[in-house]
Amino acid sequence: MPKTIMIPKAAIDETIAAFSELPAKQPSDYPLKEAIERILPAINGLVKKGYNLDEICSLLAQKEIILTSSRLKQYLRDFDKSHPKQSRKPRLPGLTAVPALNPIQSADDSKTKVTSKPQATPKPEVTKPATNPDKSYKSPPKPGAEQFK
């Protein structure tokens, strides 16, 4: 049977302390979409300055970031969807919704309760076909039922 290796508790505590003090490791390479997302503020700045997507793609190619303008356009759309815009009309503070009045009530008697119920419409009577008391009623066969006889 193999011998169990024992580690002193002090060594474990020192290792945990040393590992927790290490800084987060930055990746040396990024996937294309993540790279574009990191560069996005600079790309938006170029768009505001009047550059079109083809020009931005050629500038990115000079920095070894190769992609087509249609792919860049798709990435920009994807990033725009992941960060939803705020509503165009900002709500003014202090405004609240006005409760709707019951159409039976008027503005003057809005504090009174309406107790009348709307009239129910009567259901139409269903009449059954007249039957001969000597014969029992048999429903017509369903289509395709002949094959099972």
Side-chain angles (χ1 to χ4, degrees), residues 75-145:
Y75 285 164
L76 295 177
R77 248 190 250 128
D78 290 348
F79 299 142
D80 191 38
K81 288 178 186 174
S82 66
H83 304 291
K85 293 181 181 178
Q86 293 182 355
S87 63
R88 291 185 181 182
K89 289 184 177 180
R91 292 186 181 233
L92 298 176
L95 292 181
T96 59
V98 177
L101 293 176
N102 188 335
I104 298 173
Q105 292 177 323
S106 67
D108 295 335
D109 63 356
S110 62
K111 294 179 183 177
T112 62
K113 225 181 216 186
V114 177
T115 57
S116 64
K117 294 182 180 178
Q119 296 293 327
T121 56
K123 294 183 180 179
E125 290 186 29
V126 178
T127 58
K128 295 183 180 179
T131 59
N132 187 345
D134 298 335
K135 290 184 177 180
S136 64
Y137 179 76
K138 189 175 182 183
S139 63
K142 295 183 179 176

